[in-house]
Amino acid sequence: MESTMKCSSLEKEQLVPLRDALNNLIRFLQRWKDNSIPYFYRYLQYMKDNIEICMYTQDDWGDGLAYLKDILQRNWDEANDDFMGIHSCELFEESQRELFLQYLGLLEEVEQYFIFEME
């Protein structure tokens, strides 16, 4: 049995806090990375943009939230790719421990919306 991250339990009320957590992480990466933004950054930006589009265009959520969950899950999976994703990227030197811990805290704020489910 394999465990994977899923956002299937994400509720409409959680979209604003998730968007804000993504925005904080994105701004942190923009501020502390010199010239090269990590590859996975684009997927975090996609997630934030998709949440905002859905929030501004959905009056009746209907199937919209289900589709958004699928899109967010796909983007989250891409951001966590084994070779170029979040966990394969060394963003900070050992001497930047405080920045690294701050980064982990921001990352955890986003990860909490993707619960582990057993398959």
Side-chain angles (χ1 to χ4, degrees):
M1 207 180 295
E2 183 181 319
S3 67
T4 55
M5 298 291 272
K6 299 285 181 195
C7 69
S8 58
S9 64
L10 186 69
E11 299 295 329
K12 183 172 76 170
E13 297 77 30
Q14 294 174 302
L15 291 177
V16 172
L18 174 55
R19 183 211 46 200
D20 292 345
L22 285 162
N23 198 41
N24 291 338
L25 181 57
I26 288 166
R27 278 203 247 142
F28 179 83
L29 290 169
Q30 288 171 335
R31 193 172 354 143
W32 292 109
K33 277 313 289 172
D34 348 346
N35 295 328
S36 62
I37 298 288
Y39 180 79
F40 65 82
Y41 169 89
R42 72 188 74 209
Y43 296 106
L44 302 176
Q45 187 67 49
Y46 294 161
M47 291 171 72
K48 182 180 91 67
D49 292 346
N50 286 325
I51 290 170
E52 288 178 344
I53 289 168
C54 206
M55 286 172 49
Y56 295 127
T57 60
Q58 294 292 331
D59 290 328
D60 173 23
W61 284 86
D63 291 335
L65 186 58
Y67 292 129
L68 178 63
K69 288 177 184 181
D70 290 342
I71 292 168
L72 292 175
Q73 186 65 55
R74 182 191 66 212
N75 291 150
W76 182 250
D77 292 344
E78 290 294 330
N80 283 282
D81 177 75
D82 289 338
F83 300 106
M84 300 186 77
I86 291 170
H87 302 290
S88 68
C89 190
E90 288 187 29
L91 298 177
F92 302 101
E93 303 288 325
E94 283 186 33
S95 62
Q96 297 175 304
R97 182 174 167 77
E98 189 173 313
L99 285 177
F100 179 68
L101 292 175
Q102 188 177 357
Y103 165 70
L104 288 179
L106 292 169
L107 187 58
E108 190 174 293
E109 285 182 42
V110 175
E111 283 181 327
Q112 72 181 335
Y113 295 97
F114 295 86
I115 61 168
F116 280 101
E117 292 182 354
M118 300 304 279
E119 292 184 343

